[in-house]
Amino acid sequence: PPQGLAPQKPIYCDRVDQGILEPIAPITVVKETDATALVDGNMGIGLYVGPYCMNLAIEKAKKHGVGVVVAQRSTHYGIAGYYATMATEAGCVGFSTTNARPSIAPTFGTEGMLGTNPLCFGIPTDEAFPFVIDCATSVNQRGKLERYGREGKPTPAGCVVDVEGNERTDTEGILKDMVAGKAALSPLGGVGEKLGGYKGFGWATAVELLCTAFQSGPFGEDICGIDRSTGEKKAMPLGHVFVAIDIEPLTDVETFRTNAGSLLRAIRASKKDPNGPGRIWTAGEPEHDARTDRTARTAEWRS
């Protein structure tokens, strides 16, 4: 998966060695009100900046109903869903997003201008797991293409466009050309507008705006991570947004959980595709199933 172990060495360890990621950096609160804060990560590790910011958003939500924290000059913060889940565990609705190095081409464009900019919501339920949807605004992420490369598989048509407007499927060539800025991912919905690519383009742009406009943050080539002319690595100052909405001021949290669970169970109980797997999953359920299965197998292995 894109957030698996394989990509983590180049994202964290190698960038520390290259001097473009600070292994130890302070977190500075630049501006703050009762319900909001602007935080500077000082180019430290996003996996440290992120939890700090969501904890601050939750703290503000518990006092004032809503907490909004924006981070500037941070770095790759891992799984957006982790932060949304922090909020659900505190009895809040959670939202988190981040921009990233430019990978997505605009609809009817061929240059990577936007990150794979995820949209992530976390909603508490009365089930053993919350509803957490964490999706990139591209059809595929770079990590998925790297997986195709390892498996020797072509990239599905409609996922990538090159500078000449060709839809590419040659995975190895795609990966090389993306580094050189000669190929880009298509937004969610695919190349062009036939299947609604403009929707993914719009959502990716919305995330980029939220992650840059509040803090005058860089975007595009300024966060691509490489000097195209020399090939040297360079820092990628990213922006993040964290929102927590406390449920209790609006309705009893247990009532909310029950209402959410009832809706999700109704969806899963709806009519199944006779040509499908015979089951409907809601967001967060596959991950819960995997965790439950692996925990049981680990306990069996240890016994």
Side-chain angles (χ1 to χ4, degrees):
Q3 300 291 358
L5 291 175
Q8 306 317 311
K9 179 179 180 294
I11 287 176
Y12 301 112
C13 302
D14 291 358
R15 290 176 185 175
V16 170
D17 292 341
Q18 292 156 358
I20 60 175
L21 173 61
E22 296 295 331
I24 301 175
I27 293 176
T28 307
V29 178
V30 180
K31 292 183 177 181
E32 188 172 18
T33 68
D34 287 345
T36 66
L38 173 62
V39 171
D40 193 326
N42 292 297
M43 295 309 298
I45 295 175
L47 292 173
Y48 175 63
V49 178
Y52 177 94
C53 291
M54 183 50 94
N55 276 325
L56 183 56
I58 293 169
E59 178 184 321
K60 290 178 177 297
K62 288 299 179 179
K63 291 180 180 178
H64 306 289
V66 177
V68 180
V69 177
V70 174
Q72 66 182 24
R73 298 200 321 130
S74 184
T75 58
H76 188 279
Y77 80 166
I79 304 169
Y82 177 81
Y83 306 108
T85 302
M86 288 175 62
T88 65
E89 290 176 348
C92 295
V93 172
F95 171 80
S96 182
T97 190
T98 178
N99 65 343
R101 57 184 170 180
S103 301
I104 295 178
T107 299
F108 301 129
T110 62
E111 179 183 359
M113 290 296 298
L114 304 162
T116 50
N117 303 358
L119 284 170
C120 178
F121 292 89
I123 299 173
T125 76
D126 64 353
E127 301 185 301
F129 53 93
F131 177 91
V132 177
I133 180 73
D134 174 5
C135 294
T137 46
S138 56
V139 175
N140 273 332
Q141 293 192 59
R142 191 184 303 250
K144 181 65 72 64
L145 303 187
E146 291 170 349
R147 179 174 177 178
Y148 290 148
R150 291 193 298 271
E151 296 175 351
K153 294 180 178 179
T155 296
C159 295
V160 176
V161 63
D162 66 18
V163 291
E164 296 178 352
N166 300 309
E167 292 187 29
R168 297 276 293 277
T169 61
D170 56 313
T171 302
E172 293 299 330
I174 287 169
L175 290 170
K176 292 177 182 177
D177 283 349
M178 285 189 68
V179 173
K182 296 179 180 179
L185 300 175
S186 63
L188 195 63
V191 175
E193 63 178 2
K194 185 180 295 184
L195 295 177
Y198 58 89
K199 298 177 182 179
F201 167 41
W203 284 121
T205 305
V207 170
E208 201 78 39
L209 289 167
L210 289 173
C211 293
T212 59
F214 282 116
Q215 69 272 30
S216 301
F219 60 89
E221 283 294 295
D222 289 338
I223 56 170
C224 73
I226 189 170
D227 186 321
R228 306 284 192 195
S229 60
T230 65
E232 292 186 8
K233 302 291 185 179
K234 65 179 184 180
M236 292 180 283
L238 302 181
H240 317 311
V241 178
F242 306 84
V243 178
I245 304 171
D246 191 22
I247 292 169
E248 199 66 44
L250 298 170
T251 187
D252 176 72
V253 68
E254 293 308 318
T255 299
F256 181 98
R257 291 179 186 274
T258 300
N259 291 341
S262 295
L263 171 60
L264 296 173
R265 285 186 288 275
I267 291 172
R268 292 197 294 268
S270 64
K271 292 181 180 179
K272 314 298 187 292
D273 180 352
N275 300 312
R279 179 179 175 183
I280 294 171
W281 289 266
T282 52
E285 187 178 12
E287 293 80 3
H288 172 73
D289 288 350
R291 186 182 301 111
T292 301
D293 175 66
R294 290 168 188 170
T295 299
R297 284 192 285 144
T298 299
E300 182 180 340
W301 173 74
R302 286 177 175 173
S303 63

